[in-house]
């Protein structure tokens, strides 16, 4: 059984153009989030396609969904987003030791 880290799962979820577009739109929307229908309207995605992509983002821990009556609102889980960004940038510019290559001659 292969275990996938939360960071790898989040990055894999963002590795699809539609999901990346959805996530960026939700980042723009802020804490209020957007209804599923609003996301579909903005991005021109069919409801079944949108549901699949949102499910992947929710499963990856990047998007939270709140039901308000008959509507489902989607918003970015900002602490989760910051954890992924922190993971990516935690060792920025810290340097890497490189062994010199031996001459083949």
């Amino acid at each position: 059984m292969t275990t996938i880290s939360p960071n790898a799962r989040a990055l894999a979820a963002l590795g699809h153009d539609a999901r990346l577009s959805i996530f960026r739109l939700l980042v723009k929307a802020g804490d209020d989030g957007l209804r599923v229908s609003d996301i579909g309207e903005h991005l021109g995605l069919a409801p079944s396609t949108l549901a699949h992509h949102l499910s992947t983002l929710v499963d990856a821990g990047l998007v939270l969904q709140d039901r308000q009556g008959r509507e489902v609102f989607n918003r970015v889980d900002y602490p989760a987003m910051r954890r992924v960004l922190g993971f990516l940038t935690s060792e920025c510019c810290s340097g890497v030791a490189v062994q010199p290559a031996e001459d083949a001659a």
Side-chain angles (χ1 to χ4, degrees):
M1 183 168 131
T2 303
T3 303
I4 300 173
S5 73
N7 289 321
R9 181 173 292 140
L11 292 169
L14 293 172
H16 187 282
D17 285 333
R19 289 191 291 270
L20 188 57
S21 295
I22 292 165
F23 188 78
R24 292 188 59 175
L25 180 65
L26 291 173
V27 168
K28 280 184 182 179
D31 288 329
D32 291 337
L34 291 171
R35 295 177 301 169
V36 173
S37 59
D38 295 332
I39 298 168
E41 195 174 301
H42 273 88
L43 299 177
L45 294 172
S48 61
T49 302
L50 180 55
H52 165 73
H53 290 307
L54 280 169
S55 175
T56 301
L57 290 167
V58 169
D59 290 346
L62 293 170
V63 170
L64 302 170
Q65 292 185 318
D66 299 310
R67 182 169 291 281
Q68 296 177 13
R70 293 176 51 181
E71 299 286 351
V72 176
F73 282 81
N74 299 270
R75 60 187 170 82
V76 170
D77 183 339
Y78 288 101
M81 180 187 77
R82 287 184 189 98
R83 280 191 298 275
V84 173
L85 290 172
F87 167 75
L88 291 172
T89 60
S90 66
E91 296 182 35
C92 178
C93 308
S94 63
V96 175
V98 178
Q99 299 293 333
E102 290 187 30
D103 253 352

